[in-house]
Amino acid sequence: MVDSTWWHLLFGNLSAGALPFYSPIATGAAALVVAGAIGVVLLLNWFGGWKWLWTEWLTSVDHKKIGIVFVAIALVMFSRAVIEAIMMRLQQAMGFDSPGYLPPDHFSQLFTTHGTIMVFFMAMPFLTGLINYVMPLQIGTRDLSFPVMNSVSLALTAAGAALMMVSLDLGKFSTGGWSGYPPYTELSYNPGVGPDYWIWAVTLSSISSTMTGINFAVTIYKKRCPGMHFLRMPLFTWTALATSIMMIFAMPPLTVATLLLACDRYLGMHFFTNSGAGNMMNFVNLFWLFGHPEVYILILPPFGVYSELFSTFSAKRLYGYLSLVYATAAIAFISFMVWVHHYFTMGQSADINAVFGIATVAVGVPTGVKIYDWMLTMYRGRVRFSVPMLWSLAFAITFVIGGLTGVLLATPPVDYVVHNTLFLVAHFHNMIIPGTLFGMLAGYHFWFPKATGFRLHEGWGRFIVFCFVIGFYLAFFPLYAMGLEGMPRRTQEYYDPAYYPWAIVAMVGAGFIFLGLLGLLTQLVVSILNRDKLACHIGDPWNGRSLEWSVSAPPPEYNFAVLPRVEGRDSFTAAKAVDIAYRRPTRYEAIEMPKNSAVGPLIAFASFSCAFGLVWHIWWMASGGFVMAWLVVIARSFVRDTRKVISATEVERIEKRWLREVALTRPVSRDDEFTCANKGLAETTE
Amino acid sequence: MPVDRTARKDELRDYVLGLVSALVLTGIPFALVAWTRLPVNALLWTIAACGALQVIAHLRFFLHINLSKQKRDDLHLILFTIMIVLLMAGGTLWILFNLHARMM
Amino acid sequence: MSVEELKHPGINLGQTDPQSHAEAEEVVFGFWVFMMSDVVVFSLLFAVFGTMITATAGGPGGHALFDIKSAFEETVVLLVSSFTFGMASLAMKYGEDRKVGWLAFWLVATLVLGLSFIGLELRDFVQLIDKGDGPDRSGFLSAYFALVATHGIHVTAGCVWIAVMVIQSFVFGITREVKTRILRLGLFWHFLDIIWVTIFSFVYLRGIV
């Protein structure tokens, strides 16, 4: 028999009880995770891919590769969180006057992981990945300002996502919602590992995002190509700048909130406890100081995507560029002034509520300006109903409806009635799904050909749009009714028959969304299998307007053989119009690029170990991971050989091969945009 | 080189001035708190004023921040940070004190 | 461009090493941005402390707990360490390239002072905890310990960084990377002293008054 103190020293609080055998569903989910991991290992073994994975992906500091991995993590975590949502919809469809199939504890874990994953491990990595990939290309530079730090950001997000997945196999996750309010999440009500899993996963994500924000902001400030003044940047880059500044300033409150909660749980402090003069309202305030700017971090990059899409697929200059820039800045600015609307009912005076309510309503104005600008971009344009455009149109209509319900919620007396009912749940999904999700999926479809060299299958794309749009309306509009009729959020069982028919309709909607998810996977597989037919190596399948479309698909490692010089906005369109788009440069020069680095994967390992050790109180693992991470940073500072040179001959070889292909390719008009004649070269007679 | 020597002297002078002014601005509030019986309000205002002045002395003498010569990027950064700090810290104090008054 | 033009606060390599001055811009700007986010962290810890000054759970408040002599000692030690770091910056900029002597001397002096600061602070903490007034006693004490210890942890990290820089300047000499790193360390170190000014003013002195 193992002496229990030795066990505790080695394994902390881990024991057989941590294994997920408390319910068949939990066992099934855990088995899926293990099977998935084993499957990946087997695949890598079969294809002899370990070295390739290490040298081409894990140690790469190339913003393009890092961006792709961020998006891949987002899509995997998205799949999990959608399934969790469907499980909850099913429970609510069955939970009228019946316990359903999910006990309350499990249901609570589901809404917690669903929210935590969707915000921190789906939306944030997705937008980080898109900005990472596209922004440097749009501003005409070769990489971010701090490529190794970029790799570390990825490492921390990956570690957090891994922690979320491990929580399916060992122990239970928090049941306190994605906002983790104490005192419920304090030791006295939740002595288990759940809230600790939440704290450390979120902390890893927030540190990652702070670093990303710094990286993006400095890059945009310092590395724009000659001629790229601020007011010549594409809108996607503008929104990337605003987003990165918001990340830098919004993550600190979250870090403070989660770390102070950790102090309570680990060191017996009294920040938010019921006893010892703790003040739980401090947590709520701190969390939403982060939480509100966070949702604008989630929406601004999609707004940037939509700006690109509306102008590209209307073949027209963006209407009101300056107003869009000001609107972006206004939204970013105001987003720091409205956070109290998340807790109107907490007890502060009507005066305070009024101030924040008015500020909240005000943020609708710049958003409205954007919508009008986009509509006016389409007006008198030659609109093409590509999949990204379909996403954009669905967004414009659906998002505005959600915005209207936001104005309702911004009114404190109304909010007192519907706060924390399904009305609220419907509202925020009505912003995030058409806003963030559609925007990310549209951006994915739009820039996929740039990253891989072949387009995504358009027919399957339309199927996905159809499923998600129908699914969204069916799944969430009933929730408005249920909320107005008084049904609280996060309810596992209910007894009021008025809610029941709506719950059924919502379940059908969830079914459509699930079909959409399957469609997404199918589209990817079908596109890969047909990549030769869908190929567009020249790099400009959509007759794009900004610099990322001016290089091959996929771009060379160094992005541009010669850094571009721009004279105005929509510089690639301007170049195509005067036929200087694919000119051979007078000479090729050697290009210096950063070398690969093992810092990223090492920090992923160290930070995961630290977090896992903290969750299970395995102190040697926690401290070891922490020390290892810092030692890696210090060791890295002693490495002097961090750059490699791509010779001028090599650059010339790569460029000449591409330019030869350009010369041999027939340009296509927009009528042939979705045929296999589209090799990525656009006819330039506009 | 003569240029180096004058620049070096100027910088040295900055650091010495910084040390001296900071010591003085530290000494005053500590001395007042430790050895006098001034009214609470006067003490608190003096402490705050000396603290603010010392922060400025640090910024000027140790960090060489000179507002007139600042580049635009830095001005953006500093102003935005000040705004955020005022909103977040100020907002927190306003709300939490309001809650305290209404509930305690 | 006039050599006097300050690209970013803290980069004053201008006259002595113009090329390092230009390349340092990006890296030092990035560090400034990071420090701004750290400023927000500290300001929120201050705000939390501000809301919990009366949350003493029947226990002692600042007046009973804080020792003015100790706070004064710590303040002077940290302030002098900022001065010694300034001396180190001078040695780095105006000393002969490759000769590490004075730079290392002043860095080590700063390190010794920094470690003394930590030592004094730990002594304070241990005294409080021994009396039963540790961070688990009340919300007020939790907030006090969190704020002051966060500053202390930053100072400790700074000490580690100083030690690493001493080693690096011996191993590599005073190269461009070493210079930009010492620049950033300087920004960090001076900022920590600025935070301390606000701590001793609004936590210690205010608490005692």
Side-chain angles (χ1 to χ4, degrees), chain C residues 23-40:
Chain C
E23 287 185 10
E25 214 188 289
E26 196 176 11
V27 139
V28 175
F29 181 61
F31 194 74
W32 262 92
V33 176
F34 156 70
M35 283 207 299
M36 293 299 108
S37 80
D38 223 12
V39 163
V40 176

Side-chain angles (χ1 to χ4, degrees), chain C residues 113-146:
Chain C
L113 288 166
L115 289 173
S116 311
F117 175 86
I118 299 293
L120 288 170
E121 207 166 75
L122 280 175
R123 184 197 63 185
D124 277 354
F125 284 173
V126 166
Q127 271 174 0
L128 281 172
I129 293 173
D130 278 345
K131 277 196 295 155
D133 294 321
D136 52 351
R137 172 84 177 77
S138 68
F140 164 73
L141 277 160
S142 298
Y144 162 76
F145 270 89

